[in-house]
Amino acid sequence: MIEREQPLGISPGGVPVVADVDVVVIGGGPGGFAAALRARREGCTVVMVERFDMPGGVHTSGLQGAANTGVGGIHTELMDRFDREGCLYTADEISLPDWAGNPLAHYDHYLAPGSPFKRTSFNPDGAGNVMVRMLEEAGVQAIYGASFVDVEMDRDGEGRRITHAIIETVAGRQALRGRVFVEGTGTAEVVARCGAPFVSGGGRQPETVTADPEQRPIPGGLLWIMNGVDFAQTAAYQRQENDPTLSRLINKARAAGDIPPELYRPRMDGGKNVYGEHYIGHPTVDMSPIHGPGSFILWQNVPYEWALHMDEDAAHASRAKVELRRLIHAEARFLTKYVPGFQNAVIAHVGRYVGVRDGRHPIGEYVFSIDDARQERRFPDAVTRPMTKTFFWDAYRKYTFEVPYRCFLPKEVNNLLLTGASLSFTFETIFMVMRNFPWCTQTGEIAGLAAARSVQAGITPKQLPWTEPLF
Ligand SMILES: Cc1cc2nc3c(=O)[nH]c(=O)nc-3n(C[C@H](O)[C@H](O)[C@H](O)COP(=O)(O)OP(=O)(O)OC[C@H]3O[C@@H](n4cnc5c(N)ncnc54)[C@H](O)[C@@H]3O)c2cc1C
């Protein structure tokens, strides 16, 4: 007979308490995973709650397996471990000739045709298994298949503090009591449930070159995998028929009524294309090698003009799931029916969730803005050494910048730390600059260390002085 879990008590809101720990991490994406691991390794008791069955977020459950060279700390450890455990696959000019410079290549289309390249991806499910084990080895108590839904809070001086995170499980609602909480949802859901301030997706700074007066969020996307592709045949067709973007096949399928209007549009309706081809729907087939030869990941983006706020509106979230599945079905049908090399291909996997690219942006004690980058401002509480990155959203300019610790501290809540895509950064600065896997893992690790230092000192993260960069 299975012994039932006994609650540790009842929260002030009347919910059975099932954990009482130093640090509660909500969401196990790259940010939450690294925060949980680091806080535990610093000696804290840690609970991490994750809606799906593994950590990794967009990069495992969402199938986005792009691997990067280690940038230090847990990120480097992860990449090494994925490699040792056989989860990495690298395509290059030998295994995939005709890929560099090919317009169908999501990442590598800008290379000179035929040039040497290496495109490494990790197998999302294999990597997820590794991440599950790493948390177990460290002694993090991970709760999978449970959704964070609410908070209970107390007053704390001028602000407030979270006392319990409320989760929905197969056993009903349960409460996790903690001293410090970490926002790892990728969409600042904890901030929203706390009633703390944020800017909704699409709320960009008006002075940036690409600002959209209608404030539509950058579309999210659902990733999916096709196996059984003979790309040599596809490339031979592209060459022989001088059809690099498959536009002749697309037009043929469109004329036969085989492609819904939302697929493969060269420009969004109305001729306005402020966000670049990748983010307006699908100008063309958009893919990247994954797993092994013949296996590719494809991108299904929400059409831009639908302006879905998938993190804030339940009807939008549901519509995205249904419509993107419809588009995936249509794209797979087009590829297998019309495109040489795809005739034996099959849909192998569709991501467990539609990733949000431009969700809520929390307002922290400091909001890192494009001016901080442009002026290359330095901060006494920098958590990183100066980093130089391309600010895609500021006309591809390069700036050298630092991240202040105050970007981890949401306004009004004294014991919550932000990580990953939910840092207190404006849209232009988080997008393509700080929200990628390596930096989300780093900011998660910084938050985990800050949580541990706060617990050990008996203070809140807001009271913690930060004087030296970690990375
Ligand atoms: C379509 C798409 C493509 C991308 N491509 C790239 C790329 O090529 N390279 C790159 O580096 N980055 C890419 N990114 C960006 C990157 O994936 C994200 O910015 C990054 O994963 C954010 O990390 P995170 O830890 O903040 O959140 P996420 O990765 O979003 O993880 C959040 C986790 O929290 C869980 N969660 C959320 N809400 C709850 C809840 N209420 N209860 C319990 N659990 C919850 C989720 O299940 C998830 O596991 C892409 C993003 C998208 C959406």
Side-chain angles (χ1 to χ4, degrees):
M1 170 144 155
I2 300 169
E3 273 195 36
R4 301 262 170 199
E5 205 173 29
Q6 292 304 315
L8 305 173
I10 301 292
S11 75
V15 182
V17 178
V18 296
D20 183 0
V21 291
D22 296 326
V23 182
V24 176
V25 178
I26 298 158
F33 169 82
L37 200 57
R38 181 71 193 238
R40 178 69 196 127
R41 288 174 176 174
E42 295 290 326
C44 293
T45 50
V46 180
V47 164
M48 188 198 82
V49 57
E50 166 54 48
R51 175 187 286 156
F52 296 115
D53 54 359
M54 58 181 164
V58 171
H59 295 270
T60 54
S61 305
L63 301 184
Q64 172 39 268
N68 314 82
T69 308
V71 296
I74 289 173
H75 181 259
T76 300
E77 186 185 336
L78 260 180
M79 292 301 143
D80 290 349
R81 184 107 182 226
F82 290 168
D83 194 15
R84 274 206 314 282
E85 305 226 11
C87 298
L88 292 186
Y89 165 67
T90 300
D92 58 17
E93 68 281 6
I94 313 284
S95 61
L96 201 54
D98 302 309
W99 186 251
N102 194 309
L104 308 188
H106 178 78
Y107 299 107
D108 307 305
H109 62 270
Y110 62 88
L111 295 174
S115 59
F117 77 98
K118 279 198 191 314
R119 170 63 42 208
T120 302
S121 54
F122 53 82
N123 157 355
D125 277 290
N129 292 343
V130 170
M131 294 172 92
V132 167
R133 285 215 308 284
M134 284 173 73
L135 291 180
E136 272 180 1
E137 288 160 11
V140 171
Q141 184 190 342
I143 304 175
Y144 296 108
S147 283
F148 160 80
V149 289
D150 209 350
V151 286
E152 291 185 15
M153 300 185 79
D154 265 353
R155 283 232 66 82
D156 185 29
E158 296 286 287
R160 291 173 297 145
R161 59 196 297 278
I162 306 172
T163 59
H164 298 80
I166 309 300
I167 60 174
E168 195 75 64
T169 74
V170 289
R173 288 205 164 194
Q174 299 183 332
L176 310 173
R177 188 185 294 141
R179 277 151 278 289
V180 175
F181 292 75
V182 175
E183 167 71 83
T185 63
T187 53
E189 199 174 325
V190 186
V191 167
R193 298 291 158 259
C194 288
F198 60 84
V199 173
S200 290
R204 285 172 277 282
Q205 288 183 329
E207 76 270 20
T208 51
V209 281
T210 51
D212 174 4
E214 291 174 45
Q215 301 215 325
R216 287 168 289 202
I218 295 298
L222 181 59
L223 276 68
W224 57 293
I225 294 172
M226 280 197 109
N227 285 350
V229 179
D230 181 348
F231 193 73
Q233 257 196 59
T234 311
Y237 163 80
Q238 289 174 295
R239 258 193 319 271
Q240 281 155 21
E241 300 298 324
N242 191 23
D243 188 10
T245 60
L246 310 182
S247 58
R248 285 166 55 187
L249 298 178
I250 289 169
N251 289 340
K252 195 168 149 196
R254 185 164 286 135
D258 273 348
I259 293 185
E262 299 91 336
L263 270 181
Y264 308 133
R265 294 159 311 157
R267 287 286 180 270
M268 63 177 278
D269 292 349
K272 190 169 157 222
N273 176 19
V274 286
Y275 292 114
E277 294 184 337
H278 280 311
Y279 299 107
I280 61 165
H282 269 244
T284 184
V285 179
D286 182 16
M287 50 200 264
S288 187
I290 194 167
H291 288 318
S295 173
F296 290 85
I297 190 160
L298 291 97
W299 274 253
Q300 207 68 43
N301 289 324
V302 173
Y304 170 66
E305 58 273 47
W306 292 359
L308 298 187
H309 289 265
M310 298 179 297
D311 54 334
E312 292 195 69
D313 185 308
H316 285 200
S318 180
R319 178 175 175 199
K321 289 178 177 64
V322 173
E323 302 268 26
L324 293 186
R325 285 243 171 208
R326 177 176 65 82
L327 293 178
I328 287 172
H329 178 73
E331 181 161 358
R333 209 182 40 209
F334 160 72
L335 291 169
T336 51
K337 186 167 166 188
Y338 287 88
V339 182
F342 281 80
Q343 52 277 24
N344 297 318
V346 291
I347 298 176
H349 202 159
V350 177
R352 289 175 179 76
Y353 72 112
V354 185
V356 171
R357 286 195 174 90
D358 181 12
R360 302 179 191 99
H361 306 292
I363 312 277
E365 293 299 333
Y366 194 88
V367 180
F368 188 94
S369 75
I370 198 75
D371 281 339
D372 292 315
R374 286 173 180 156
Q375 292 173 25
E376 307 205 326
R377 210 162 265 143
R378 297 290 173 261
F379 301 99
D381 59 339
V383 292
T384 58
R385 294 190 183 82
M387 299 187 276
T388 303
K389 291 187 194 293
T390 303
F391 282 67
F392 172 66
W393 236 250
D394 198 22
Y396 292 89
R397 293 191 187 94
K398 267 189 197 298
Y399 302 120
T400 301
F401 66 101
E402 295 175 344
V403 177
Y405 174 59
R406 284 161 292 162
C407 291
F408 291 70
L409 305 172
K411 286 241 181 252
E412 297 182 16
V413 188
N414 292 345
N415 64 340
L416 178 63
L417 282 153
L418 305 174
T419 68
S422 304
L423 279 192
S424 170
F425 269 53
T426 59
F427 166 80
E428 301 77 3
T429 54
I430 198 91
F431 194 88
M432 293 306 235
V433 178
M434 283 305 288
R435 65 161 204 142
N436 282 6
F437 184 102
W439 321 117
C440 288
T441 313
Q442 279 197 341
T443 57
E445 192 168 350
I446 290 161
L449 179 58
R453 284 179 177 168
S454 309
V455 167
Q456 282 150 9
I459 56 177
T460 65
K462 282 228 172 127
Q463 295 165 323
L464 181 75
W466 193 292
T467 50
E468 274 188 28
L470 180 63
F471 291 103

